[in-house]
Amino acid sequence: MSTETGTAAGREASRIHNIGYRSYDGPRLGRAYARRSLFSQTLRGSFGLGRSAKSKVLPMLLFGVMALVAAILVAVSMAVPDASKLVVEYTSYAIYLQAVIGLFIAAQAPQAVSRDLRFKSVPLYFSRPIERADYVMAKFAATATALFILTGAPLLILYVGSLLAKFDFADQTKWFGQGLVSVALLSVLFAGLGLVMAALTPRRGFGVAAVIALLTITYGAVSTVQAIAWETGSEGAVQWLGLFSPVTLIDGVQTAFLGATSAFPSGEGPGAGVGVVYLIVVLALVAGSYAVLMRRYRRAGL
């Protein structure tokens, strides 16, 4: 068969079929709607909502632990004769339970970003009316909000319990507000650092290990070195060593500016002068985390 005959036969066999697809003529919801949807999806996913029952177990268990410990502390405070305040400070609660918070962000930060990298779905996000900044801001804000819910809910339980115990309303409200400021700052810092560590690798296991090492292991190491410095008479080094762990950074800021009792050796945290350095480091880490995520997704979105 000649080439001309084959071409003619091909044209005869070719057909254009109308299978019913129609163009979309409705409203375009745009970037703002996409950001809100991505924020909502990530926030819900942090607690396993909209995912399998297995995915709900760990985040709900950790949330339950945070709430249960707060309820127990309220009960203990009520049982103490002539008590006038809670047995734990609002600003100290997250520091005491930092291991639970670290485990939560270690599990959920890779869930927020590693899956998109592993399955190479990031370019699909950017093919829509959404930009890198939208994606990073939505993920960052959702993860920080999830952490704030995890850490803020127990403080609310403590506050309500203190009012039921008829402790002084003005004092409890003031301390509750200070606690909320503290956990809000902690949530933003932990969210940024956790997402950066998780975004460096598409492998979930590596991301979990990296986040735990950064948040939990550094706290143990810094606390140990601080204790050694205190015991050997190097008291001045204790407050500067606190700059090398995210948990001790929050401890230093709230001690300097929120009237908290420090978890540093002997309970002596930084004063207002050194506290400014702590605050600058915290803000620099948050801004740096955002910048690193933006750079990471500039490559991932190609």
Side-chain angles (χ1 to χ4, degrees), residues 152-168:
L155 299 189
L156 181 61
I157 294 173
L158 292 174
Y159 179 64
V160 173
S162 69
L163 297 183
L164 293 175
K166 301 186 184 304
F167 296 154
D168 185 79

Side-chain angles (χ1 to χ4, degrees), residues 10 29 47 56 82 85 89 109 114 121-122 176 184 190 244 265-266 282 291 297:
L29 299 178
F47 293 98
K56 296 179 176 65
D82 300 325
K85 61 180 182 179
E89 295 182 357
S114 296
S121 58
V122 175
F176 175 58
F190 277 31
F244 297 97
S266 78
V282 169
Y297 284 100

Side-chain angles (χ1 to χ4, degrees), residues 117 195-202 292 296:
L117 294 170
L195 288 176
V196 165
M197 301 307 295
L200 292 178
T201 173
V292 171
R296 176 71 177 94

Side-chain angles (χ1 to χ4, degrees), residues 56-280:
K56 296 179 176 65
V57 173
L58 182 59
M60 291 303 179
L61 177 62
L62 296 177
F63 183 85
V65 169
M66 295 287 290
L68 179 61
V69 172
I72 292 173
L73 291 174
V74 168
V76 171
S77 300
M78 290 181 173
V80 174
D82 300 325
S84 60
K85 61 180 182 179
L86 296 167
V87 296
V88 64
E89 295 182 357
Y90 293 95
T91 49
S92 299
Y93 191 82
I95 303 297
Y96 292 152
L97 293 178
Q98 53 84 24
V100 178
I101 301 170
L103 185 57
F104 180 88
I105 187 62
Q108 301 311 317
Q111 171 64 31
V113 295
S114 296
R115 287 166 58 89
D116 292 341
L117 294 170
R118 184 165 67 252
F119 296 118
K120 302 185 185 303
S121 58
V122 175
L124 297 179
Y125 282 109
F126 297 163
S127 67
R128 300 296 179 183
I130 186 173
E131 298 182 0
R132 277 186 305 127
D134 300 319
Y135 182 90
V136 171
M137 288 174 59
K139 293 290 185 177
F140 203 139
T143 305
T145 302
L147 281 171
F148 184 72
I149 293 172
L150 178 75
T151 54
L155 299 189
L156 181 61
I157 294 173
L158 292 174
Y159 179 64
V160 173
S162 69
L163 297 183
L164 293 175
K166 301 186 184 304
F167 296 154
D168 185 79
F169 175 80
D171 286 342
Q172 294 299 322
T173 302
K174 173 186 175 182
W175 296 334
F176 175 58
Q178 291 173 342
L180 288 181
V181 172
S182 173
V183 297
L185 190 61
L186 179 147
S187 299
V188 174
L189 176 62
F190 277 31
L193 296 176
L195 288 176
V196 165
M197 301 307 295
L200 292 178
T201 173
R203 295 184 178 275
R204 180 183 176 88
F206 291 164
V208 170
V211 175
I212 290 176
L214 179 62
L215 299 182
T216 304
I217 296 179
T218 56
Y219 175 68
V222 168
S223 298
T224 301
V225 177
Q226 283 180 320
I228 294 173
W230 176 262
E231 292 295 332
T232 55
S234 301
E235 295 87 353
V238 171
Q239 58 186 352
W240 296 110
L241 289 169
L243 294 170
F244 297 97
S245 165
V247 178
T248 52
L249 275 171
I250 298 299
D251 189 329
V253 170
Q254 67 183 19
T255 301
F257 301 111
L258 298 176
T261 300
S262 178
F264 289 4
S266 78
E268 296 184 7
V274 180
V276 171
V277 179
Y278 272 70
L279 183 58
I280 291 174

